[in-house]
Amino acid sequence: MLIARRISRHLTWLIASLVLMGLLTAWWLMAMRTSDKLPGGGSSVGLTLGLIGGLLIAFEMALVLKKRLRSKLWMMFQTRLWMKAHIWLGLLTFPILLLHSGIRWGGWLSATLLALLALVWLSGIYGLILQQFLPKIMLDDVPGEAITSQVGHIVGKFSSDARRMMALHFDLDGDEATPRLTMPSGKAVAEKPKTPYISVGSVRAHTKTESAEPEKKSTVSAERLLESYVKQISPFLEEGDRLRTPLSSSSRSRDYFQTLRAVIPTTTHETMEALEGLCEQRRQLDSQARLQFWLHNWLLMHLPLSWALFVLMFLHVFVALKYL
Ligand code: HEM
């Protein structure tokens, strides 16, 4: 949920939260003045704060039901409003329950609960901060955002498109899915060709030129494109930034293709540019995966810790009521 750029829409919640917190803190401070120690869970103010905090946590957990249940009852509540309440009431939980504890760790159970609450609270704030700017970065840096489940298919398409483009200039060995290209040997390249294409090892480079001399020059140069394709471009399109390659950085990739352009025949420039475009799209997929990871991985902490907090809270209530 975006807050930073839409703070006016959250103003009522902000003011209400501050007022409520102010009133509860004032009550707690007054109780502190009348007793000689910090009022904890056993005092009337502490007990009330514990009750409010517990209800707030139960409400926070209800987001699980809201997100997963599609029944009419849950659909009645606007998701946006629910999310606002989750954030602002969630922010209140830690200060309220800290006062409830009398700002003491207490026994192992209450100390664990307080630590869990702090972690859930902090992870929620962390997630909210990420939600403020990661979607914007995604929009700016990854204009062609792909559906996550389609990424494998798209990667396969990049590789087959690249292979098809290369096949315009070279006869490629191996099957379509896993190209196994043998690099041309220097000896074969040096030989003057008699046919319109030159067999070099298992790769034949098609040339458009008629005379033998430019043909030789073009073949040697075309080899550089083939070499780049086999050693850098094709592995990068398949593996992405898991490989250490200049192609994983846009500036180094630009330099790489500029250097390549100077040593390959002009007849292959268009193909090279198309390959460069595919590499750019592959980088975007990697960026998208990285951003998606950061946008969602905090929930891997927030959600299980919330459940642990929720379950332990009942144990805490049970133990507390037993000794009250
Ligand atoms: C005791 C306090 C809290 C509890 C028990 C709690 C619990 C939860 C739970 C259970 C979810 C649902 C996860 C899911 O099903 O995917 C959730 C999501 C979330 N929580 Fe909290 N939360 C707490 C405090 C906070 C705070 C303080 C913030 C931020 C200030 C926050 C921000 C969020 C956000 C942004 C989501 C993700 C919603 C979405 O985009 O789907 N939470 N929380």
Side-chain angles (χ1 to χ4, degrees), residues 171 173 181-189 191 198-205 223 226:
D171 283 345
D173 265 355
L181 301 173
T182 337
M183 287 311 300
S185 73
K187 184 171 167 279
V189 170
E191 277 168 10
I198 307 151
S199 292
V200 266
S202 57
V203 180
R204 289 179 296 175
E223 248 189 13
L226 182 64

Side-chain angles (χ1 to χ4, degrees), residues 120-305:
V120 171
W121 194 73
L122 288 173
S123 61
I125 294 175
Y126 171 68
L128 188 65
I129 293 173
L130 290 183
Q131 287 185 355
Q132 305 311 297
F133 61 90
L134 281 189
K136 166 105 177 61
I137 296 182
M138 268 170 105
L139 219 62
D140 294 346
D141 291 3
V142 192
E145 194 186 338
I147 300 164
T148 311
S149 61
Q150 297 279 306
V151 167
H153 170 72
I154 296 170
V155 166
K157 177 114 178 40
F158 286 168
S159 296
S160 59
D161 283 355
R163 189 183 163 82
R164 212 169 300 125
M165 287 174 210
M166 287 300 287
L168 294 174
H169 304 280
F170 306 98
D171 283 345
L172 308 175
D173 265 355
D175 58 65
E176 181 71 20
T178 51
R180 240 174 256 110
L181 301 173
T182 337
M183 287 311 300
S185 73
K187 184 171 167 279
V189 170
E191 277 168 10
K192 280 191 185 146
K194 291 187 183 70
T195 50
Y197 52 78
I198 307 151
S199 292
V200 266
S202 57
V203 180
R204 289 179 296 175
H206 297 290
T207 57
K208 287 187 177 168
T209 42
E210 290 294 307
S211 77
E213 206 39 47
E215 210 169 25
K216 180 183 166 190
K217 207 173 159 197
S218 152
T219 309
V220 171
S221 302
E223 248 189 13
R224 298 293 295 272
L225 179 61
L226 182 64
E227 186 182 345
S228 289
Y229 172 73
V230 174
K231 290 189 177 165
Q232 300 281 349
I233 299 168
S234 173
F236 176 67
L237 289 177
E238 278 178 26
E239 300 293 326
D241 61 8
R242 271 175 293 186
L243 292 181
R244 283 170 68 89
T245 157
L247 300 183
S248 56
S249 132
S250 53
S251 60
R252 283 191 297 142
S253 170
R254 208 176 311 117
D255 293 347
Y256 180 86
F257 280 103
Q258 246 165 30
T259 314
L260 187 60
R261 173 187 284 271
V263 294
I264 58 173
T266 46
T267 47
T268 57
H269 279 187
E270 213 175 305
T271 299
M272 190 212 77
E273 278 156 20
L275 291 174
E276 188 177 4
L278 285 177
C279 290
E280 165 60 29
Q281 289 186 57
R282 186 65 176 87
R283 271 194 301 281
Q284 284 190 15
L285 277 188
D286 285 336
S287 294
Q288 179 185 333
R290 264 195 307 277
L291 291 170
Q292 291 278 10
F293 171 79
W294 285 109
L295 198 55
H296 298 296
N297 80 333
W298 66 275
L299 267 176
L300 297 178
M301 185 173 173
H302 194 64
L303 186 59
L305 290 181

Side-chain angles (χ1 to χ4, degrees), residues 1 57 60-61 63-64 67-68 83 86-87 90-91 93 117 120-121 124-125 127-128 131 298-299 302-303 306-307 309:
M1 165 159 279
I57 289 184
E60 296 293 292
M61 291 307 293
L63 182 60
V64 175
K67 281 180 82 174
R68 285 166 184 75
M83 208 47 232
H86 181 87
I87 289 166
L91 283 172
T93 52
L117 178 63
V120 171
W121 194 73
I125 294 175
L128 188 65
Q131 287 185 355
W298 66 275
L299 267 176
H302 194 64
L303 186 59
S306 299
W307 274 113
L309 176 71

